[in-house]
Amino acid sequence: MRIAIASDHAAIDLKAALADWLRGAGHDVADLGPDSAASVDYPDYGYKLAAAIAAGSAERGIALCGSGIGISIAVNRNPAARCALVSEPLSATLAREHNDANVIAMGARLIGIEMAKACITAFLATEFGGDRHQRRVDKLTQPTF
């Protein structure tokens, strides 16, 4: 699977570890940065990740920052991205099954590496349920205010 991963400075170590793990599992991983622990703005990297999803250069995305909150908000500014903040495998599964999430976000200050791997494993293994959920996902892509 083609997976894009991005973070801010607070999650650089988690991003590197997860990217290596995903590559070891046979995935094509695009690391969208940053490349160092120097302070950066999470929206810049959330937008890059969302753009990769929108362009079709990645099938799934992993967004990381200190809490996972800020970068998930940034990713969700792009209508092609459906990013869910997850903290355990059930939320990752339901995000895919019910919401057709194509990106998950996690907080490096809140989640350990093994739990992050478990979330990603569930996220990548789960198919969208379609059916009654499709009309709801359609409304996410084409909101009516």
Side-chain angles (χ1 to χ4, degrees), residues 16-46:
L18 292 174
D20 287 346
W21 172 72
L22 287 162
R23 286 185 188 105
H27 297 286
D28 178 9
V29 179
D31 184 338
L32 303 180
D35 298 327
S36 77
S39 182
V40 297
D41 297 332
Y42 60 79
D44 297 335
Y45 293 92

Side-chain angles (χ1 to χ4, degrees), residues 67-128:
S67 68
I69 298 167
I71 201 163
S72 68
I73 293 170
V75 170
N76 279 320
R77 298 289 183 184
N78 188 316
R82 290 175 304 281
C83 181
L85 176 60
V86 303
S87 58
E88 35 62 44
L90 180 57
S91 58
T93 297
L94 293 174
R96 280 288 308 134
E97 186 178 334
H98 291 188
N99 310 114
D100 198 18
N102 48 20
V103 181
I104 56 170
M106 294 177 283
R109 294 181 178 135
L110 306 173
I111 196 166
I113 184 72
E114 294 308 317
M115 184 58 75
K117 288 177 182 179
C119 289
I120 293 168
T121 298
F123 176 66
L124 297 179
T126 304
E127 294 295 324
F128 175 49

Side-chain angles (χ1 to χ4, degrees), residues 125-145:
T126 304
E127 294 295 324
F128 175 49
D131 218 20
R132 72 183 189 278
H133 303 292
Q134 185 62 60
R135 77 173 182 276
R136 297 167 185 151
V137 171
D138 291 343
K139 289 179 179 183
L140 294 173
T141 305
Q142 308 243 334
T144 56
F145 296 100

